[in-house]
Amino acid sequence: METTNIIIKNLTKRFGQVAAVNNVTLTIEPGAFITLLGPSGCGKTTLLRCVAGLEEPDEGEILIGDKLVFSSRRGISLPAGQRNLGLVFQNYALWPHMTVYKNMTFALEIQKLAKAEMDQRVKESLAEVQMTGYAERYPREMSGGQQQRIALARMLAYRPKVFLMDEPLSNLDARLRMDMRAELKRLHHVAGATTIYVTHDQVEALTMSTQIAVMKEGVVQQMDTPDCVYHFPANLFVADFIGNPKVNLLEGVANGDGAVDLGNFKIQLAARTAPGQVVVAARPEDITIALAPEPGAVEFTAYSVLPAGADSTIVARRDQLELTVKVIGTSKIKMDDKVWLQFNPATLNLYDKTSGNLIHSKN
């Protein structure tokens, strides 16, 4: 399948006085799988709809390949049907009175494709989503997961250059969502189409994307690979939003000599940094916990222990400070046990408390 790039320049979309998308600039490479990630109301769906041609922005430009599909300056705004896009929505959008075959060929008939070509596309697309034999079924005769696969097959049959998906898995149960993540990732690998995927689920974003754009209040906070977004968040919002259990954010004072004073103990950093008010970010899996004192470890009390089979989450307290620690497997630690926590300087990120921006990372 032919792939194409997408360039978004200084895009703004307002609803009244609220800028749902605020001066966003993104370059999406051909064949990329980019996820727009953020909480409800951050502008991710509005941005997707602007690319799709379902919303008209107030300012900026959108290029899909070498075609300028929107420009406020030049007065260009191509309708969705002229942008060569495939769309999959949260509600599947299947015609209930049509068979799977009719649902899949409705747009192809408008293109006046020959029946033999349509039959071949339906056959191939159903096979790609493992739904061979369902062409004569009606949507009411299928489960939610099967209907979502048909919605994906319909998009594949259309053979667009770009896939746009707006929270397509949110109506599915947890087990099926996990299965469909694997299917979608495989589908992208096979089709290779440039994909924009909207979700508020960070697990979907981290597991499926080649790049993630984290959004807040219409602004892209960070666009990077899943690994960099997780391990090197650009600011405190991204650090706090990404990760389950959530990252530990510890306010303190940097002494300018590579240490941060948290009040009743200090954390050593991997590098020197300027003195001032800072926030140390420590992922739960990067903190070592023990039942006996160790050199450099700090004494805490196990406030809560949450085993989950493959791993265990321990909430530890020291005075007013509460930290979350994640360990592999079932922990021997019991609630109210004395425990000792140790921080590896190479795993910590440091943020400016005032701006919230990353000032020193562990890389």
Side-chain angles (χ1 to χ4, degrees):
M1 181 178 289
E2 183 183 356
T3 59
T4 190
N5 66 320
I6 301 170
I7 299 174
I8 301 168
K9 297 180 181 179
N10 305 116
L11 202 72
T12 296
K13 172 61 180 176
R14 300 184 187 90
F15 294 102
Q17 299 300 310
V18 178
V21 176
N22 192 353
N23 197 31
V24 167
T25 296
L26 294 175
T27 298
I28 303 171
E29 299 297 329
F33 189 122
I34 179 172
T35 296
L36 305 178
L37 175 68
S40 296
C42 72
K44 54 189 185 293
T45 292
T46 301
L47 179 56
L48 180 88
R49 289 175 63 84
C50 287
V51 174
L54 303 176
E55 298 281 358
E56 184 167 324
D58 296 292
E59 300 167 17
E61 290 186 346
I62 303 171
L63 291 95
I64 298 177
D66 57 2
K67 180 186 288 188
L68 185 63
V69 299
F70 175 80
S71 174
S72 58
R73 182 175 55 86
R74 298 173 59 181
I76 296 171
S77 184
L78 296 186
Q82 295 180 24
R83 299 191 183 194
N84 198 7
L85 307 168
L87 294 156
V88 176
F89 298 102
Q90 179 178 344
N91 63 0
Y92 319 141
L94 298 175
W95 296 101
H97 64 288
M98 292 184 180
T99 63
V100 166
Y101 180 90
K102 276 294 188 181
N103 267 283
M104 292 178 63
T105 58
F106 185 76
L108 304 182
E109 289 174 352
I110 295 173
Q111 291 182 319
K112 301 188 185 307
L113 260 65
K115 187 175 187 308
E117 173 68 11
M118 289 193 295
D119 290 348
Q120 184 64 23
R121 288 197 188 187
V122 169
K123 180 180 178 181
E124 291 175 355
S125 299
L126 287 176
E128 286 190 36
V129 298
Q130 300 179 31
M131 292 292 286
T132 298
Y134 282 74
E136 297 308 315
R137 298 268 189 107
Y138 286 88
R140 64 178 178 272
E141 298 173 326
M142 296 180 290
S143 67
Q146 290 172 329
Q147 289 183 55
Q148 190 59 282
R149 287 173 188 263
I150 296 304
L152 291 168
R154 178 179 56 188
M155 179 180 66
L156 288 172
Y158 185 63
R159 295 187 181 172
K161 293 181 179 179
V162 175
F163 293 171
L164 301 180
M165 305 186 194
D166 188 5
E167 304 205 44
L169 308 185
S170 59
N171 285 343
L172 307 180
D173 61 53
R175 175 68 180 271
L176 190 52
R177 277 203 308 272
M178 184 178 296
D179 292 342
M180 285 302 295
R181 282 182 208 134
E183 295 291 345
L184 282 173
K185 190 163 187 176
R186 181 67 191 177
L187 191 62
H188 176 258
H189 174 74
V190 172
T194 308
T195 301
I196 302 179
Y197 186 98
V198 165
T199 185
H200 63 273
D201 187 328
Q202 56 174 291
V203 176
E204 286 183 16
L206 290 168
T207 53
M208 297 196 300
S209 314
T210 58
Q211 285 194 308
I212 299 173
V214 184
M215 296 185 67
K216 175 189 178 186
E217 297 175 354
V219 178
V220 175
Q221 305 292 308
Q222 181 176 5
M223 180 172 167
D224 216 325
T225 63
D227 184 67
C228 284
V229 168
Y230 184 83
H231 291 290
F232 313 116
N235 56 41
L236 287 172
F237 172 80
V238 178
D240 192 46
F241 188 77
I242 299 288
N244 186 26
K246 292 174 66 174
V247 69
N248 296 289
L249 299 176
L250 314 173
E251 296 185 6
V253 180
N255 64 10
D257 197 30
V260 176
D261 189 344
L262 300 178
N264 53 15
F265 69 94
K266 294 182 179 180
I267 290 180
Q268 193 67 34
L269 300 175
R272 296 170 64 91
T273 187
Q277 297 285 325
V278 296
V279 178
V280 178
R283 291 287 180 195
E285 66 271 20
D286 291 333
I287 301 174
T288 303
I289 188 167
L291 280 165
E294 295 183 1
V298 183
E299 183 179 326
F300 278 72
T301 299
Y303 175 75
S304 185
V305 180
L306 307 167
D311 53 55
S312 299
T313 300
I314 295 129
V315 179
R317 281 186 173 178
R318 177 186 172 97
D319 299 329
Q320 301 303 310
L321 181 62
E322 187 173 283
L323 293 179
T324 302
V325 183
K326 185 176 181 179
V327 296
I328 300 300
T330 302
S331 175
K332 296 180 180 179
I333 295 169
K334 305 288 190 298
M335 283 189 280
D336 297 324
D337 280 351
K338 295 295 181 184
V339 293
W340 280 261
L341 306 188
Q342 197 156 20
F343 302 85
N344 181 351
T347 66
L348 303 175
N349 288 326
L350 190 67
Y351 296 85
D352 180 83
K353 184 179 178 181
T354 303
S355 69
N357 293 330
L358 181 66
I359 56 177
H360 169 66
S361 67
K362 57 196 176 185
N363 63 343

Coordinates of all heavy atoms in Angstrom, one line a residue, residues 37-88:
L37 N -2.5 11.5 22.3 CA -2.8 11.0 23.6 C -3.0 12.1 24.6 O -2.3 13.1 24.5 CB -1.6 10.1 24.1 CG -1.7 9.6 25.6 CD1 -2.8 8.6 25.7 CD2 -0.3 9.0 26.0
G38 N -4.0 12.0 25.4 CA -4.2 13.0 26.4 C -5.5 12.8 27.1 O -6.4 12.0 26.7
P39 N -5.8 13.6 28.2 CA -7.1 13.5 28.9 C -8.2 14.0 28.1 O -8.0 14.7 27.0 CB -6.9 14.3 30.1 CG -5.8 15.3 29.7 CD -4.9 14.6 28.8
S40 N -9.5 13.7 28.5 CA -10.6 14.2 27.8 C -10.6 15.8 27.7 O -10.2 16.4 28.7 CB -11.9 13.8 28.6 OG -12.0 12.4 28.6
G41 N -10.9 16.3 26.6 CA -10.9 17.7 26.4 C -9.6 18.4 26.0 O -9.5 19.6 25.9
C42 N -8.6 17.5 25.7 CA -7.3 18.1 25.4 C -7.1 18.5 23.9 O -6.1 19.1 23.6 CB -6.2 17.1 25.8 SG -6.1 15.6 24.7
G43 N -8.1 18.1 23.1 CA -8.1 18.5 21.7 C -7.6 17.5 20.7 O -7.6 17.7 19.5
K44 N -7.4 16.3 21.2 CA -6.9 15.2 20.3 C -7.9 14.8 19.2 O -7.5 14.7 18.0 CB -6.4 14.0 21.1 CG -7.5 13.4 22.0 CD -6.8 12.3 22.9 CE -7.9 11.6 23.8 NZ -8.5 12.6 24.8
T45 N -9.2 14.6 19.6 CA -10.2 14.3 18.6 C -10.5 15.4 17.6 O -10.6 15.2 16.4 CB -11.5 13.9 19.3 OG1 -11.3 12.6 20.0 CG2 -12.6 13.7 18.3
T46 N -10.4 16.6 18.1 CA -10.6 17.8 17.3 C -9.5 17.9 16.2 O -9.8 18.2 15.0 CB -10.7 19.1 18.1 OG1 -11.8 19.0 19.0 CG2 -10.9 20.3 17.2
L47 N -8.3 17.6 16.6 CA -7.2 17.7 15.7 C -7.3 16.6 14.6 O -7.1 16.8 13.4 CB -5.9 17.5 16.5 CG -4.6 17.4 15.6 CD1 -4.4 18.7 14.8 CD2 -3.3 17.3 16.5
L48 N -7.7 15.4 15.0 CA -8.0 14.3 14.1 C -9.1 14.7 13.1 O -9.0 14.5 11.9 CB -8.4 13.0 14.8 CG -8.7 11.8 13.9 CD1 -7.4 11.1 13.6 CD2 -9.7 10.9 14.5
R49 N -10.2 15.3 13.6 CA -11.3 15.7 12.7 C -10.9 16.8 11.8 O -11.4 16.9 10.7 CB -12.5 16.1 13.6 CG -13.1 14.9 14.3 CD -14.2 15.4 15.3 NE -15.3 16.0 14.5 CZ -16.3 15.4 14.0 NH1 -16.4 14.0 14.0 NH2 -17.3 16.0 13.3
C50 N -10.0 17.7 12.2 CA -9.5 18.7 11.3 C -8.7 18.1 10.1 O -8.8 18.5 9.0 CB -8.6 19.7 12.0 SG -9.5 20.8 13.1
V51 N -7.9 17.1 10.4 CA -7.1 16.3 9.4 C -8.1 15.6 8.5 O -7.9 15.6 7.2 CB -6.1 15.4 10.0 CG1 -5.4 14.5 8.9 CG2 -5.1 16.1 10.8
A52 N -9.2 15.1 9.0 CA -10.1 14.3 8.3 C -11.0 15.2 7.4 O -11.6 14.7 6.4 CB -11.0 13.5 9.2
G53 N -11.1 16.4 7.7 CA -12.0 17.3 6.9 C -13.4 17.4 7.5 O -14.3 17.9 6.9
L54 N -13.5 16.9 8.8 CA -14.8 16.9 9.4 C -15.0 18.1 10.3 O -16.1 18.5 10.7 CB -15.0 15.6 10.3 CG -14.9 14.3 9.6 CD1 -14.9 13.2 10.6 CD2 -15.9 14.2 8.5
E55 N -13.9 18.8 10.6 CA -14.0 20.2 11.2 C -13.1 21.1 10.4 O -12.1 20.7 9.8 CB -13.4 20.1 12.6 CG -14.2 19.2 13.6 CD -15.4 19.9 14.1 OE1 -15.7 21.0 13.8 OE2 -16.1 19.2 14.9
E56 N -13.5 22.3 10.2 CA -12.7 23.3 9.5 C -11.9 24.2 10.5 O -12.6 24.9 11.3 CB -13.6 24.2 8.6 CG -12.7 25.2 7.8 CD -13.5 25.8 6.7 OE1 -14.4 25.2 6.1 OE2 -13.2 27.0 6.4
P57 N -10.6 24.1 10.5 CA -9.8 24.9 11.4 C -10.0 26.4 11.2 O -10.5 26.8 10.1 CB -8.4 24.5 11.1 CG -8.5 23.2 10.4 CD -9.8 23.3 9.6
D58 N -9.6 27.2 12.1 CA -9.6 28.7 12.0 C -8.3 29.2 11.4 O -8.4 30.2 10.7 CB -9.9 29.3 13.3 CG -11.2 29.0 13.9 OD1 -12.2 29.4 13.3 OD2 -11.3 28.2 14.9
E59 N -7.2 28.5 11.6 CA -5.9 29.0 11.1 C -5.1 27.8 10.8 O -5.3 26.7 11.4 CB -5.2 29.9 12.2 CG -6.0 31.1 12.6 CD -5.4 31.8 13.8 OE1 -4.2 31.5 14.1 OE2 -6.1 32.6 14.4
G60 N -4.1 28.0 10.0 CA -3.0 27.0 9.7 C -3.2 26.3 8.4 O -4.0 26.7 7.5
E61 N -2.4 25.3 8.2 CA -2.4 24.5 7.0 C -2.3 23.0 7.3 O -1.7 22.6 8.3 CB -1.2 24.9 6.1 CG -1.3 26.3 5.5 CD -0.2 26.6 4.5 OE1 0.8 25.8 4.4 OE2 -0.4 27.5 3.7
I62 N -2.8 22.2 6.4 CA -2.7 20.7 6.5 C -2.3 20.2 5.1 O -3.0 20.5 4.1 CB -4.0 20.0 6.9 CG1 -4.4 20.6 8.3 CG2 -3.7 18.5 7.0 CD1 -5.8 20.1 8.7
L63 N -1.2 19.5 5.0 CA -0.8 18.8 3.8 C -0.8 17.3 4.0 O -0.3 16.8 5.0 CB 0.6 19.3 3.3 CG 0.8 20.7 2.9 CD1 1.3 21.6 4.0 CD2 1.8 20.8 1.7
I64 N -1.4 16.6 3.0 CA -1.4 15.2 3.0 C -0.7 14.8 1.7 O -1.2 15.0 0.6 CB -2.8 14.6 3.0 CG1 -3.5 15.0 4.3 CG2 -2.8 13.1 2.9 CD1 -5.0 14.6 4.4
G65 N 0.5 14.3 1.9 CA 1.4 14.1 0.8 C 1.8 15.4 0.2 O 2.1 16.4 0.9
D66 N 1.6 15.5 -1.1 CA 1.9 16.8 -1.8 C 0.6 17.6 -2.0 O 0.7 18.6 -2.8 CB 2.7 16.6 -3.1 CG 1.9 15.7 -4.1 OD1 0.8 15.3 -3.7 OD2 2.4 15.4 -5.1
K67 N -0.5 17.2 -1.4 CA -1.7 17.9 -1.6 C -2.1 18.8 -0.4 O -2.1 18.3 0.7 CB -2.9 16.9 -1.8 CG -4.2 17.5 -2.1 CD -5.4 16.5 -2.1 CE -5.3 15.7 -3.4 NZ -6.5 14.9 -3.5
L68 N -2.3 20.1 -0.7 CA -2.7 21.0 0.3 C -4.2 20.9 0.5 O -5.0 21.3 -0.3 CB -2.3 22.4 -0.1 CG -2.6 23.5 1.0 CD1 -1.7 23.3 2.2 CD2 -2.3 24.9 0.4
V69 N -4.6 20.3 1.6 CA -6.0 20.0 1.8 C -6.7 21.1 2.6 O -8.0 21.2 2.6 CB -6.3 18.6 2.5 CG1 -5.7 17.5 1.6 CG2 -5.7 18.6 3.9
F70 N -5.9 21.9 3.4 CA -6.5 23.0 4.1 C -5.5 24.1 4.2 O -4.3 23.9 4.5 CB -7.0 22.6 5.5 CG -7.4 23.8 6.3 CD1 -8.7 24.3 6.1 CD2 -6.6 24.5 7.2 CE1 -9.1 25.5 6.7 CE2 -7.0 25.6 7.9 CZ -8.3 26.1 7.6
S71 N -5.9 25.3 4.0 CA -5.1 26.5 4.2 C -6.0 27.7 4.5 O -6.8 28.1 3.6 CB -4.2 26.8 3.0 OG -3.5 28.0 3.1
S72 N -5.9 28.2 5.7 CA -6.7 29.4 6.0 C -6.2 30.6 5.2 O -7.0 31.4 4.8 CB -6.6 29.7 7.5 OG -5.2 29.9 7.9
R73 N -4.9 30.7 4.9 CA -4.4 31.8 4.2 C -4.8 31.9 2.7 O -5.1 32.9 2.2 CB -2.8 31.8 4.3 CG -2.1 33.0 3.6 CD -0.6 32.9 3.9 NE -0.1 31.6 3.5 CZ 0.4 31.3 2.3 NH1 0.3 32.3 1.3 NH2 0.9 30.2 2.0
R74 N -4.9 30.7 2.1 CA -5.2 30.6 0.7 C -6.7 30.2 0.5 O -7.1 30.1 -0.7 CB -4.3 29.6 0.0 CG -2.8 30.0 0.1 CD -1.9 28.9 -0.4 NE -2.2 28.5 -1.8 CZ -1.6 27.6 -2.5 NH1 -0.5 26.9 -1.9 NH2 -1.9 27.3 -3.7
G75 N -7.5 30.0 1.5 CA -8.9 29.8 1.4 C -9.2 28.4 0.8 O -10.2 28.2 0.1
I76 N -8.3 27.4 1.2 CA -8.5 26.0 0.7 C -9.0 25.1 1.8 O -8.5 25.2 2.9 CB -7.2 25.4 0.2 CG1 -6.7 26.2 -1.0 CG2 -7.3 24.0 -0.2 CD1 -5.3 25.9 -1.5
S77 N -10.1 24.4 1.5 CA -10.6 23.4 2.5 C -11.3 22.3 1.8 O -12.5 22.3 1.4 CB -11.6 24.1 3.5 OG -12.0 23.2 4.5
L78 N -10.5 21.2 1.4 CA -11.1 20.1 0.7 C -12.0 19.3 1.6 O -11.7 19.0 2.7 CB -9.9 19.2 0.1 CG -9.0 19.8 -0.9 CD1 -8.0 18.8 -1.4 CD2 -9.7 20.5 -2.0
P79 N -13.1 18.8 1.0 CA -14.0 17.9 1.8 C -13.3 16.6 2.1 O -12.3 16.2 1.4 CB -15.2 17.7 0.9 CG -14.7 18.0 -0.4 CD -13.6 19.0 -0.3
A80 N -13.8 15.9 3.1 CA -13.2 14.6 3.5 C -13.1 13.6 2.4 O -12.1 12.9 2.3 CB -14.1 14.0 4.6
G81 N -14.1 13.6 1.5 CA -14.1 12.6 0.4 C -12.9 12.8 -0.6 O -12.6 11.9 -1.4
Q82 N -12.3 14.0 -0.6 CA -11.2 14.3 -1.5 C -9.8 14.2 -0.9 O -8.8 14.6 -1.5 CB -11.4 15.7 -2.1 CG -12.6 15.8 -3.0 CD -12.8 17.2 -3.6 OE1 -11.8 17.9 -3.7 NE2 -14.0 17.6 -3.9
R83 N -9.8 13.6 0.3 CA -8.5 13.6 1.1 C -7.9 12.2 1.1 O -6.8 12.0 1.6 CB -8.7 14.1 2.5 CG -9.1 15.5 2.5 CD -9.1 16.1 3.9 NE -9.6 17.5 3.9 CZ -9.4 18.4 4.9 NH1 -8.7 18.0 6.0 NH2 -9.9 19.6 4.8
N84 N -8.5 11.2 0.5 CA -8.0 9.8 0.5 C -7.7 9.3 1.8 O -6.6 8.8 2.1 CB -6.8 9.7 -0.5 CG -6.6 8.3 -0.9 OD1 -7.4 7.4 -0.6 ND2 -5.5 8.0 -1.6
L85 N -8.7 9.3 2.7 CA -8.5 8.9 4.1 C -9.4 7.7 4.4 O -10.5 7.7 3.9 CB -8.8 10.1 5.1 CG -8.0 11.4 4.8 CD1 -8.7 12.5 5.7 CD2 -6.6 11.2 5.2
G86 N -9.0 6.9 5.3 CA -9.8 5.9 5.9 C -10.1 6.2 7.3 O -9.2 6.5 8.1
L87 N -11.4 6.1 7.7 CA -11.8 6.5 9.1 C -12.4 5.3 9.8 O -13.3 4.6 9.3 CB -12.8 7.6 9.0 CG -12.3 9.0 8.4 CD1 -13.5 9.8 7.9 CD2 -11.6 9.7 9.5
V88 N -12.0 5.2 11.1 CA -12.7 4.2 12.0 C -13.0 4.9 13.3 O -12.1 5.5 13.9 CB -11.7 3.0 12.3 CG1 -12.4 2.0 13.3 CG2 -11.4 2.2 11.0

